[in-house]
Amino acid sequence: MSSSSKTLKIGIIGCGGIANGKHMPSLKKQPQAEMVAFCDIVQERAEKAAAEFGAEGAKVYTDFRELLKDASIDVIHVCTPNDSHSVISVAALEAGKHVMCEKPMAKTAAEAKAMVEAAKRTGKKLTIGYQNRFRNDSQYLKELCENGELGDIYYGKALAIRRRAVPTWGVFLDEEKQGGGPLIDIGTHALDLTLWLMDNYKPKSVLGSTFHKLGHKENAANAFGPWNPDEFKVEDSAFGFITMQNGATIVLESSWALNVVETGEAKTVLAGTEGGADMKDGLRINGEKMSRLYETTVDLNAGGVAFYSGSAETDADKEQRLWLEAILEDKEPVVKPEQAYVVTQILEAIYESAKTGKAVYFEE
C-alpha cells in the first residue's frame, strides 16, 4: 500500500483537556488517520471522545496496557499527566507502536532518557508535542536562521510570562503529577523553540531560581478564576541562566503569576553576529546595513499561507499532518526525541539549582 493511501490506526491515551483541545480535533481532519481506540482512567471521558472523534466501532479502555495489546493500532498519542508520560510511551514503543507524547517529554531527565532509548531499541518513531515550532513566525524565523541571516547566534531569551493565568483545573497545581509549575508547563515550550532556532543542544551549565510568592493568596485575580492556595504546590515563577558548550547563553523566564505588565508566551529573542530577532510585537528582525541600524516587521499574512482541506491549516493541524507523514514516508519527525530530552535535562537542572543554590554542570 502506498503511503498516500494507507490509513494509520491511532489510539489516544488520556482523553482530557489537551487531547480534546489539540490532538483529536486535528487528527480528525487528517485523511490518513483513523482514531480507533480511546483510553482514560475515567471511562465516561473515553466514551465521550470515542463518540465524538472515533471511527465506527472504536474501542474504549480504562487501562492503557489493554489498549496496547491491540496489534492493529499503529500509533499512540500520550495525553496524560507528566508523571505517566515515560511509562506509557516506553510501553507503547515496546508494543510496536509509533508514539507522539504531549509535552513536556517527561517529569525527569531519567524518564525522558528511557523514552529515547526505547525508541532506538524498537526502531519506532517518537516525537513530542511542541506545536509552537509549527507557527508561521517560528517556521519563517527557522529558515532565516538556517540561511545564516542572523550569523552565529550567541544569545537567546526564552519567554513564557503570564501575569495572572494560573491553570486551576486538572493536576496543574500538583507537583507529584506534574513535576513543577509554569517552568515545566509553558517554560518548556519557550525553551524548546529557542534551542531549535539556535540549533544548539549542548548545555554546559545551568543556574536557576524558582519562586512560590503569590500562590498563597486567597481570592486572587486570575484569568481562570481564583486558585485554591492549599492546592498550589508548585512554583508560580521560575527563571534559568543557561550556558552552552560553545559559549552561547540563554535566559529562560516563566511564570503563571508575576507582577509584570509585559507578558508573552512561547516567544523568543535571538541575537547573532549578523542580526537579531524577537517575537514581542509580531516577528521583528533587526540588523545593520550601510552603517545604519534597521528593524523590520515581517508580514506573515501576505502569501505563503498553507491551505488544507479547504481551509487554512492551523499550527496543530500542521503538527499532526507532518507527524503522520514522517511515519508514512519513514522520515525523521520535526521534533526529535533527542532534542526534547535536552529540554527536559535543562528544566530539571533549573529545579535542582533552585533547590541547592548552586549551578548544575553537564558532562561534555
Side-chain angles (χ1 to χ4, degrees), residues 68-197:
L68 294 179
K69 290 178 182 176
D70 186 342
S72 70
I73 295 174
D74 305 298
V75 186
I76 295 294
H77 280 230
V78 180
C79 306
T80 60
N82 300 346
D83 66 340
S84 59
H85 282 185
S86 183
V87 65
I88 296 173
S89 295
V90 170
L93 290 162
E94 290 180 340
K97 323 296 187 189
H98 302 289
V99 175
M100 171 176 274
C101 178
E102 191 42 52
K103 65 79 198 169
M105 188 171 191
K107 186 176 155 182
T108 69
E111 291 172 349
K113 185 179 182 182
M115 294 165 69
V116 172
E117 290 172 346
K120 287 179 179 174
R121 187 168 63 247
T122 61
K124 293 297 174 179
K125 296 190 189 301
L126 169 65
T127 196
I128 309 301
Y130 285 118
Q131 73 270 8
N132 289 287
R133 293 193 190 188
F134 300 89
R135 299 185 332 226
N136 283 342
D137 57 346
S138 304
Q139 295 271 314
Y140 186 92
L141 184 51
K142 178 64 173 175
E143 194 167 338
L144 278 184
C145 293
E146 287 182 339
N147 290 343
E149 297 283 334
L150 304 187
D152 175 26
I153 304 170
Y154 56 89
Y155 175 72
K157 183 181 282 190
L159 295 165
I161 296 290
R162 297 178 184 174
R163 184 181 182 186
R164 289 290 190 284
V166 178
T168 54
W169 62 92
V171 296
F172 280 104
L173 303 181
D174 184 336
E175 185 172 15
E176 188 61 33
K177 292 282 187 187
Q178 288 296 94
L183 179 63
I184 201 168
D185 177 45
I186 57 176
T188 190
H189 275 303
L191 180 58
D192 172 74
L193 190 61
T194 304
L195 293 173
W196 178 63
L197 290 167

Side-chain angles (χ1 to χ4, degrees), residues 246-267:
N246 70 344
T249 296
I250 298 170
V251 175
L252 172 56
E253 303 177 5
S254 65
S255 70
W256 282 341
L258 189 68
N259 287 323
V260 293
V261 175
E262 191 169 315
T263 60
E265 215 169 303
K267 295 192 175 185

